Amino acid sequence: MGPDVPLLNDYKQEFFLKRFPQTLLGGPRFKLGYCAPPYIYVNQIILFLTPWVLGGVGTLLYQLGIMKDYYTAALSGGLMFVTALILQMTNLYAKQKTVRVERMQIQNTLTDEDEFEFSSCVGSETVKFIIPGKKYIINTVFHSLLAGVLCGLGTLYLLPNRITLLYSNIGGTVMIFVFGWVTICIGEYSLIINTATETATFQALDTYEITALMRPFYIFVFIAVDLAHRFAVNTAILEQTNQILHILFLFLPFLWAMGILPPLDALFLWGMEQLLEFGLGGSPMSSNTKLLVMFLISAGTAIASYFIPSTLGVILFMTGFGFILSLNLSEIGFAFKHTMISHLASSKSKNMHRGLRIQFGWREFIFYLTVLTFALIEASLLHQFAGFSSFSKASPQAIASYVLIVLLIIMWILREIQRVYLFGVFRNPFYPKDVRTVTVFMEKQRRLMKVGVVRRILLTLVSPFAMIAFLSLDRSLQNLHSVSVSIGFTRIFRMVWQNTENALLDIVVMSVAQMLVFNPDLWWNRSLDTGIRLLLVGILRDRLLQFVSKLQFAIAILLTSWTEKKQRRKSTATLITLNVVFFPILLTFVAISALLSSPLLPLFTLPVFLIGFPRPIRSWPGPVGATACVCSDTVYYQQMVPSLAVALQSALAAGSLGLSLPGSHYLCRFQDRLMWILVLEKGFTYCGVNIKGLELQETSCHAAEAHRVDEIFEMAFEHQEHTKILSPNHHFGHILTPCTVLPVRLYSDARNVLSGIIDSHENLKQLKDDFIKVLVWMLVQYCYKKSKTWESPGNADKNKKGSFPDHQHSGTVERSRSLRGEDSFSVDTIEDWTDDSDIFDLEPSGRMKDRREPGQLGTTPKVHLSIPGSVETQSQDGSQEMSPDDKLYRAVVLGLPAVDKGKQQEVVPQVEFSCCYSELLSIPEEWRTAPVPTSKVNEMRQRFPEEWYHFILSQLDFFHLKEKPSNLLEDLMKDKALKDLYIHGVLSCCFGLFGLDNTVPAPSHVFRAYTGGIPWSVGLDWLTGKPELFQLALKAFRYTFKLMIDKASLGPVENFKELVNYLEEYENDWYIGLVSDLEWQQAVLQEKPYLFSLGHDPNMGIYTGRVLTLQELLVQVGKLNDEAVRGQWANLSWELLYATNDDEERYSIQAHPVLLRNLTVQAADPPLGYPVYSSELLHLPLF
């Protein structure tokens, strides 16, 4: 697709132009897309202005001095409540009394409303069109009541006298009064008449009609500030805030339409997340429930610390609860729950829960208890004996700050030298060069692994205790019952454990600032205690990092829109010029989005930037890992994720992935696999991540971006021998920065063209002989394994005798007659026809009928020719003469349907074994009934590999038999009846797969036989009627084909022992089949060492072999620009949920090698994205 593909196609543009004005005005539909009577528009205008009219009544009475302000508010609110109820009751009445009129033909199938036939100004269709009504009765009453309260308080908020007191300007009063009421009318219409579709959409479905409450909520927030100002008249800050908000109140419709203000669900989740992280020192959580519970517990801890009467108690309380709340409480609770169950439940329950992932045991419990004990002892002793001195250059607290500065520098250096690029810009000279194999990498990385261990100890043990020492020595803790102390120190005492690296940075920054400025009269030192200073430093640090990241993202979009030729549109030059001219406004947008911690939204991923609404750090509302577009490729990710999680655990603990915080994104690459990793929560010695797997079937866009990812990783890890020390990162500015490689146990995928092997005449000729050998081995192994279920040879004799009923000893004529009715074809019958025979004779000539081959297995069943679709008639007297016409009539009854004569009972001839143990290896009775001619049996007897057969028998041990003769194997080898059974079994399978001719099979037939897609034949029909035998034959053929490839690649098989080794290896370590087989997926999940599949490309006419090999290989990992991902996901949410632009060829999903736009869209949660795999929350221990 070219760069000028439409952002929205024609019908989507029309849809958007109808929806946006409705969103802007709060719900009125003035652009319908079809002709509607004028009263439709007039009615909507009247309903839109109704709150203003009702509020105007109260305002007029107040201005005339007839009523006081709160009475006017009550009057306007009461009138609005009654009006809203009447409107809702009108809608209910219209729904009950009328039947929906059949709608007209819709020209545009993507409109968001039906076309109505309107009959009158107040007709039922008119009412239902203008007032859709509520889904729930409780919302009908609640929303009506809320509409009344909103109108009453809005009247109070916009009283002209009140506005004049704030601004002392008549012109400003008029502007605020008029446009303020427009804002209230928009909120009222959205609440009670028709809820508009919001540009700020978080949930795909509004199940409980929460969207209608969004606009009234923000109006109530503004009114609440005004009410607070009314009751606190002399508060200057409230007055200034009220003045600013009255002006901002006029721009609420613009903020709603632009999607800057979040919907209520996203607002409360974002608010709790921000308060938990920056106000209470916690971490964002992976689910809404965990977020709410952790927020309540953390807030309760801060409140409880306010009421503790002693400073020592405050220190111990904050230190203890800060440590406990930073642990992985959900996993600890999970482990405790199942430990209790295992003690109380039965042994069955114990076995059931033993395999569960429980990462908390006695070792972890003792470790945590020891750390907590030492932390409490340290905090109490330091505070008790050295916590009353003021901060100076020689004070104990200053000495502790010097230690923290040194620790920060050391940890920062140790973290950076483990990454392939320093600061993402220069190549790290300490990183192993030319990393391609696990062995070489692990050998070269030993020094860095030691560095990682040192850093882990400093991060886990040394730094927290050093920070606790610094905090325990602070004088601010002497102030009991202080809100600032309770909030600030509860936060930092927890953050020391929850987010050690950032806490260390904050304390060092504050300490340096305090050392540079000792002036006690400065506002920083005079008005703020240490806890609040650290809180402000933490917020400033986070927002500054977000600002830099968002600015990098914006500049990347601006530059690549011109430098990448495929992204250069006709409007690109104009957009770049506007961004340069209005660059201060762009910086303002970036700063506001950073301040709100909301994504910077590039509209359609063009250099047109908007402020997205604030949302939780995980960006999506649903539970983690709940949905994915599962397909056949999913199993490869399911197999590798446990091993990848272990490797990530080591990398995160060592710091080789950089500073990993909740909201960090990583991209892993191996061959055709792309893994997207999102860090969701982090605490003391644990990290919670979600791993997604992207599709393997690469589209053109996917392939273009994946190719750029490969280039970046190859430049970083595989081409280092040609680069200089501290050489620059040639892909600096890309949203992907390589970090390191991880050894992961997974499948490597190798595909080979089999030309020269599958089409070799010698190989195909040998294929049949090898198939016989493999099939003999397969049958013997099958019967041998089955014999292990038998307890003794006596039992075997009993089974042998019981397996042949008496009626099977009947004569040859009866057995032959019983098989004549079988609807199948035998080549032997063709051989029995003579030139003198009539083609319509029911039986062949008599001289051939009684022919028997010497040494035949009992009697070979004969099945005679039947014309398909005919109805055969049985002659009661075989010698009776018939005229040719009668023969024709009796053979074929034209015009009549075929008669199903039912399945005849297959009769098995009696077999007498010379060895009483032969029954243990006897093939099942139903496998002996193949309709093969006697001549082919003799031919197979000559081709049968007797030496191979004896060698296989000699390898059997029969350890499962309690008593066995010493010459058992010799007796089995001498048993001709047993050998004849295997001859017949092998012939039956050959008959089904190859037919009875001795021609060399063509490559196409080999491929069909491998895939099980052989054209129908009589032999195949019989073979498929024995599913177990058919699967054995198919498996043997696949083994034979793999053997053919191995012999062509590695050389011929020297002896029987080597051939057995091949077959045993295939049986134990390989799955040989098709990628589409269910067993293939099971083999991947069971981690079979090798898998092989045969494929065919009909376009090129070539056959390919695919081999998956399970081994430990290096997976490349890079860190993504978090804000680039959040910004693109915000645009995706807006584009699909609001603009409904789901075109598969839309511009915003096209390949962008720098932004990785297509891959980022794939990694979004369904239904907007389409990852083929998404893991549940993975808890990674980091100690």
Side-chain angles (χ1 to χ4, degrees):
M1 300 294 290
D4 286 307
V5 60
L7 303 176
L8 288 170
N9 54 37
D10 294 338
Y11 51 86
K12 290 294 183 183
Q13 289 179 16
E14 181 183 352
F15 173 80
F16 179 77
L17 291 176
K18 288 192 298 179
R19 172 170 277 191
F20 187 73
Q22 182 183 354
T23 301
L24 182 63
L25 296 175
R29 289 180 278 189
F30 296 131
K31 184 176 177 61
L32 301 180
Y34 56 92
C35 292
Y39 55 76
I40 295 296
Y41 306 101
V42 173
N43 286 351
Q44 291 184 88
I45 294 173
I46 293 173
L47 291 175
F48 181 82
L49 297 176
T50 296
W52 196 348
V53 173
L54 300 179
V57 173
T59 301
L60 182 61
L61 293 176
Y62 171 76
Q63 292 296 117
L64 295 176
I66 298 175
M67 299 178 68
K68 293 183 178 181
D69 51 1
Y70 48 87
Y71 287 130
T72 61
L75 175 63
S76 298
L79 292 174
M80 187 66 217
F81 172 63
V82 173
T83 304
L85 272 182
I86 292 174
L87 291 173
Q88 292 299 314
M89 293 303 110
T90 303
N91 173 266
L92 292 176
Y93 178 79
K95 287 182 177 179
Q96 293 175 358
K97 297 295 290 182
T98 61
V99 180
R100 175 79 175 268
V101 179
E102 184 179 357
R103 67 181 177 179
M104 299 164 12
Q105 182 68 28
I106 299 178
Q107 300 299 326
N108 188 348
T109 59
L110 293 173
T111 54
D112 61 343
E113 67 274 326
D114 296 333
E115 294 186 16
F116 290 78
E117 290 183 351
F118 305 106
S119 56
S120 66
C121 181
V122 291
S124 60
E125 289 298 327
T126 304
V127 172
K128 289 189 290 184
F129 173 78
I130 297 176
I131 313 172
K134 306 295 180 182
K135 290 191 290 186
Y136 306 105
I137 297 297
I138 188 173
N139 282 342
T140 300
V141 178
F142 175 65
H143 290 185
S144 300
L145 179 62
L146 200 63
V149 175
L150 179 62
C151 184
L153 294 178
T155 303
L156 196 65
Y157 185 72
L158 295 175
L159 288 175
N161 285 357
R162 179 69 179 170
I163 301 173
T164 304
L165 288 175
L166 285 175
Y167 300 100
S168 302
N169 187 300
I170 299 299
T173 300
V174 173
M175 291 286 293
I176 291 176
F177 179 79
V178 173
F179 290 101
W181 268 108
V182 171
T183 299
I184 291 179
C185 288
I186 290 174
E188 291 278 13
Y189 199 98
S190 180
L191 175 65
I192 203 66
I193 307 298
N194 183 27
T195 303
T197 304
E198 300 289 352
T199 50
T201 303
F202 188 57
Q203 300 273 2
L205 298 175
D206 183 24
T207 306
Y208 301 105
E209 299 177 310
I210 299 176
T211 306
L213 304 176
M214 172 185 164
R215 302 193 184 200
F217 172 81
Y218 288 105
I219 295 175
F220 280 129
V221 170
F222 282 73
I223 293 174
V225 176
D226 182 69
L227 292 176
H229 181 222
R230 284 174 179 269
F231 292 105
V233 182
N234 297 323
T235 308
I237 189 171
L238 271 178
E239 182 177 358
Q240 294 174 358
T241 304
N242 199 15
Q243 289 174 344
I244 295 172
L245 290 183
H246 265 80
I247 297 174
L248 191 60
F249 188 76
L250 310 183
F251 294 94
L252 272 180
F254 173 77
L255 298 177
W256 289 326
M258 299 307 294
I260 298 175
L261 297 178
L264 296 186
D265 49 357
L267 174 66
F268 285 111
L269 293 174
W270 170 81
M272 282 194 296
E273 192 173 86
Q274 294 294 307
L275 287 174
L276 178 62
E277 184 175 3
F278 299 104
L280 301 170
S283 164
M285 293 285 113
S286 59
S287 68
N288 299 338
T289 304
K290 290 177 65 175
L291 178 62
L292 177 62
V293 171
M294 186 57 71
F295 174 77
L296 294 177
I297 295 174
S298 303
T301 303
I303 295 171
S305 66
Y306 177 84
F307 297 99
I308 298 176
S310 69
T311 56
L312 182 60
V314 170
I315 289 284
L316 295 176
F317 182 82
M318 290 180 175
T319 304
F321 270 90
F323 175 80
I324 293 171
L325 293 179
S326 68
L327 300 177
N328 191 0
L329 296 180
S330 61
E331 282 294 288
I332 293 175
F334 176 83
F336 177 78
K337 171 186 172 183
H338 286 283
T339 301
M340 295 302 296
I341 290 176
S342 66
H343 284 295
L344 298 176
S346 62
S347 59
K348 180 179 179 181
S349 297
K350 292 180 184 179
N351 295 332
M352 179 178 63
H353 296 298
R354 192 170 296 164
L356 293 175
R357 175 181 53 85
I358 300 177
Q359 297 175 350
F360 187 83
W362 286 108
R363 183 174 66 91
E364 291 80 7
F365 177 77
I366 293 173
F367 171 74
Y368 290 146
L369 186 61
T370 304
V371 171
L372 177 60
T373 303
F374 278 103
L376 293 174
I377 293 173
E378 178 196 22
S380 59
L381 291 177
L382 289 175
H383 178 75
Q384 191 72 21
F385 298 105
F388 298 96
S389 60
S390 59
F391 187 86
S392 63
K393 292 185 178 180
S395 65
Q397 192 175 20
I399 295 173
S401 66
Y402 299 146
V403 174
L404 292 177
I405 292 172
V406 173
L407 276 174
L408 177 65
I409 295 173
I410 293 174
M411 289 179 56
W412 174 75
I413 293 173
L414 295 181
R415 186 184 71 200
E416 286 298 321
I417 64 175
Q418 293 185 77
R419 304 173 67 188
V420 67
Y421 287 117
L422 299 174
F423 315 109
V425 181
F426 300 105
R427 187 177 303 281
N428 180 5
F430 301 100
Y431 196 84
K433 295 182 179 180
D434 194 21
V435 178
R436 300 192 184 187
T437 63
V438 176
T439 307
V440 175
F441 172 74
M442 297 303 291
E443 184 177 347
K444 291 183 177 181
Q445 206 197 19
R446 286 178 181 175
R447 289 179 300 173
L448 292 183
M449 292 175 67
K450 296 176 182 177
V451 168
V453 172
V454 173
R455 182 184 178 277
R456 187 185 309 183
I457 294 173
L458 293 177
L459 179 66
T460 307
L461 297 176
V462 179
S463 296
F465 283 100
M467 286 187 281
I468 287 177
F470 176 88
L471 296 173
S472 302
L473 296 170
D474 196 85
R475 292 189 63 188
S476 303
L477 288 169
Q478 303 298 326
N479 302 324
L480 291 175
H481 309 300
S482 169
V483 174
S484 61
V485 170
S486 296
I487 294 175
F489 278 93
T490 301
R491 170 188 175 274
I492 192 61
F493 268 107
R494 179 176 177 181
M495 193 175 173
V496 161
W497 306 101
Q498 189 92 47
N499 195 345
T500 307
E501 292 183 81
N502 281 343
L504 182 60
L505 177 61
D506 294 349
I507 292 177
V508 168
V509 170
M510 191 210 68
S511 300
V512 171
Q514 200 164 359
M515 290 175 185
L516 296 177
V517 183
F518 280 103
N519 185 2
D521 296 327
L522 192 68
W523 168 80
W524 176 263
N525 292 328
R526 176 173 46 85
S527 302
L528 301 177
D529 58 47
T530 303
I532 299 301
R533 290 179 209 156
L534 289 172
L535 188 149
L536 294 177
V537 169
I539 294 176
L540 183 63
R541 165 190 47 79
D542 179 78
R543 294 326 193 234
L544 185 61
L545 292 177
Q546 283 197 40
F547 177 82
V548 173
S549 184
K550 285 177 166 66
L551 189 59
Q552 289 177 344
F553 174 47
I555 292 175
I557 291 181
L558 277 171
L559 294 179
T560 56
S561 64
W562 184 262
T563 57
E564 295 285 336
K565 292 184 179 181
K566 291 187 177 181
Q567 308 302 322
R568 196 181 300 169
R569 299 172 60 88
K570 295 178 180 178
S571 59
T572 298
T574 305
L575 292 176
I576 292 176
T577 304
L578 291 175
N579 276 278
V580 172
V581 172
F582 296 102
F583 191 71
I585 296 178
L586 173 61
L587 286 180
T588 304
F589 277 17
V590 173
I592 293 174
S593 65
L595 188 64
L596 296 175
S597 188
S598 61
L600 182 68
L601 192 155
L603 199 63
F604 299 105
T605 63
L606 291 172
V608 179
F609 299 101
L610 301 175
I611 302 171
F613 67 86
R615 66 199 78 192
I617 200 71
R618 64 182 186 271
S619 295
W620 307 111
V624 175
T627 55
C629 302
V630 179
C631 65
S632 58
D633 297 332
T634 303
V635 293
Y636 302 113
Y637 293 109
Q638 290 176 331
Q639 177 274 325
M640 70 177 296
V641 159
S643 178
L644 177 61
V646 173
L648 281 174
Q649 172 184 331
S650 302
L652 289 170
S656 56
L657 296 183
L659 183 61
S660 57
L661 300 172
S664 297
H665 295 261
Y666 296 92
L667 186 67
C668 303
R669 177 70 167 170
F670 177 77
Q671 290 187 349
D672 57 352
R673 270 152 279 181
L674 281 163
M675 290 70 71
W676 193 285
I677 301 170
L678 170 60
V679 180
L680 293 167
E681 56 185 72
K682 196 173 183 183
F684 182 63
T685 66
Y686 90 95
C687 183
V689 301
N690 167 242
I691 301 178
K692 295 176 182 175
L694 307 188
E695 63 182 357
L696 304 185
Q697 301 295 330
E698 295 184 351
T699 60
S700 57
C701 296
H702 180 107
E705 294 184 356
H707 180 67
R708 178 63 62 89
V709 171
D710 291 335
E711 284 183 2
I712 294 172
F713 282 134
E714 287 174 6
M715 184 67 68
F717 299 116
E718 298 181 10
H719 298 160
Q720 294 188 11
E721 70 274 11
H722 305 298
T723 57
K724 300 178 182 179
I725 297 177
L726 294 178
S727 61
N729 177 9
H730 296 288
H731 295 280
F732 178 73
H734 197 280
I735 73 165
L736 177 67
T737 303
C739 292
T740 186
V741 293
L742 303 177
V744 179
R745 184 173 173 81
L746 44 66
Y747 282 101
S748 63
D749 194 346
R751 302 168 192 254
N752 303 307
V753 177
L754 300 181
S755 299
I757 298 178
I758 194 174
D759 51 4
S760 169
H761 182 79
E762 292 298 325
N763 291 340
L764 295 174
K765 184 179 180 181
Q766 186 66 30
L767 180 70
K768 271 194 172 183
D769 294 335
D770 288 342
F771 173 68
I772 294 174
K773 292 181 180 179
V774 175
L775 186 58
V776 170
W777 179 84
M778 195 81 68
L779 290 173
V780 171
Q781 293 297 319
Y782 171 83
C783 296
Y784 177 68
K785 291 177 183 178
K786 198 171 182 181
S787 71
K788 291 183 178 181
T789 60
W790 293 6
E791 298 178 357
S792 64
N795 196 5
D797 292 337
K798 180 181 177 180
N799 289 338
K800 180 180 71 171
K801 293 177 182 178
S803 61
F804 296 103
D806 293 338
H807 70 269
Q808 291 185 6
H809 293 279
S810 58
T812 303
V813 177
E814 292 180 3
R815 286 197 298 270
S816 178
R817 188 175 300 165
S818 66
L819 291 171
R820 281 186 55 199
E822 186 174 337
D823 187 14
S824 59
F825 176 77
S826 174
V827 180
D828 187 36
T829 60
I830 296 180
E831 297 177 356
D832 291 343
W833 294 109
T834 63
D835 294 338
D836 299 330
S837 302
D838 193 322
I839 62 171
F840 298 112
D841 281 347
L842 295 181
E843 297 192 52
S845 58
R847 65 182 181 88
M848 303 294 295
K849 182 189 290 189
D850 297 328
R851 186 181 63 183
R852 295 288 180 270
E853 295 289 343
Q856 184 177 342
L857 261 179
T859 56
T860 303
K862 290 182 176 292
V863 181
H864 304 286
L865 183 64
S866 169
I867 298 178
S870 67
V871 179
E872 294 186 353
T873 57
Q874 292 273 351
S875 174
Q876 296 181 1
D877 186 2
S879 60
Q880 184 177 354
E881 293 292 330
M882 292 184 292
S883 66
D885 292 339
D886 292 336
K887 293 179 182 179
L888 174 62
Y889 178 77
R890 297 193 60 155
V892 182
V893 182
L894 299 177
L896 295 180
V899 178
D900 186 4
K901 294 179 289 186
K903 186 170 180 65
Q904 301 276 350
Q905 182 181 1
E906 294 177 339
V907 182
V908 181
Q910 175 67 35
V911 178
E912 295 293 341
F913 295 114
S914 62
C915 176
C916 63
Y917 286 88
S918 295
E919 185 66 29
L920 294 174
L921 298 180
S922 174
I923 65 175
E925 298 171 4
E926 61 271 16
W927 296 2
R928 312 173 193 172
T929 59
V932 292
T934 306
S935 59
K936 293 300 178 182
V937 174
N938 290 331
E939 183 179 334
M940 177 56 70
R941 184 175 286 107
Q942 296 174 3
R943 294 178 57 193
F944 188 76
E946 191 167 347
E947 293 182 0
W948 168 248
Y949 169 72
H950 291 162
F951 179 80
I952 296 173
L953 293 180
S954 67
Q955 302 298 307
L956 305 180
D957 48 41
F958 290 99
F959 286 151
H960 57 282
L961 297 181
K962 297 178 181 179
E963 298 178 1
K964 59 180 180 179
S966 58
N967 58 346
L968 171 61
L969 296 178
E970 296 179 2
D971 292 342
L972 290 175
M973 294 178 194
K974 295 177 180 178
D975 195 334
K976 294 184 179 180
L978 181 63
K979 186 181 74 171
D980 287 342
L981 280 181
Y982 281 97
I983 291 173
H984 199 276
V986 169
L987 178 59
S988 302
C989 295
C990 291
F991 179 34
L993 295 181
F994 297 106
L996 293 179
D997 54 351
N998 295 323
T999 58
V1000 176
S1004 59
H1005 184 86
V1006 172
F1007 175 74
R1008 288 184 175 184
Y1010 185 94
T1011 58
I1014 308 172
W1016 183 92
S1017 66
V1018 174
L1020 181 64
D1021 185 58
W1022 177 88
L1023 188 59
T1024 53
K1026 314 294 181 292
E1028 198 170 7
L1029 179 60
F1030 177 71
Q1031 291 301 321
L1032 277 178
L1034 185 61
K1035 186 177 179 181
F1037 184 84
R1038 290 173 175 178
Y1039 282 14
T1040 307
F1041 183 82
K1042 182 64 175 66
L1043 180 65
M1044 180 184 75
I1045 295 176
D1046 289 345
K1047 288 166 63 177
S1049 305
L1050 306 175
V1053 177
E1054 299 294 337
N1055 48 50
F1056 289 157
K1057 183 64 178 176
E1058 185 178 354
L1059 180 56
V1060 169
N1061 291 338
Y1062 268 114
L1063 298 179
E1064 288 179 349
E1065 182 184 355
Y1066 296 159
E1067 186 71 19
N1068 299 325
D1069 298 337
W1070 286 77
Y1071 175 77
I1072 302 174
L1074 296 174
V1075 177
S1076 57
D1077 292 342
L1078 178 62
E1079 292 81 3
W1080 178 281
Q1081 300 183 16
Q1082 294 172 350
V1084 171
L1085 295 178
Q1086 293 167 4
E1087 295 196 337
K1088 277 276 188 180
Y1090 307 97
L1091 291 90
F1092 175 82
S1093 175
L1094 176 64
H1096 177 58
D1097 186 347
N1099 297 323
M1100 300 182 64
I1102 59 174
Y1103 296 92
T1104 57
R1106 181 182 182 186
V1107 178
L1108 299 186
T1109 305
L1110 183 65
Q1111 53 188 324
E1112 195 171 41
L1113 296 167
L1114 295 177
V1115 173
Q1116 301 155 333
V1117 186
K1119 194 174 191 300
L1120 295 162
N1121 184 324
D1122 307 334
E1123 295 304 324
V1125 175
R1126 294 184 67 202
Q1128 293 183 76
W1129 279 357
N1131 172 72
L1132 176 68
S1133 178
W1134 176 87
E1135 196 172 347
L1136 266 67
L1137 296 181
Y1138 182 76
T1140 65
N1141 187 26
D1142 56 352
D1143 187 356
E1144 293 182 356
E1145 299 297 333
R1146 63 184 184 273
Y1147 172 77
S1148 61
I1149 203 175
Q1150 300 299 313
H1152 195 303
V1154 176
L1155 298 181
L1156 303 182
R1157 187 166 54 194
N1158 186 269
L1159 298 180
T1160 305
V1161 169
Q1162 287 186 50
D1165 280 8
L1168 304 186
Y1170 45 97
V1172 300
Y1173 172 78
S1174 182
S1175 72
E1176 59 182 3
L1177 178 67
L1178 301 176
H1179 299 271
L1180 308 180
L1182 302 182
F1183 63 90

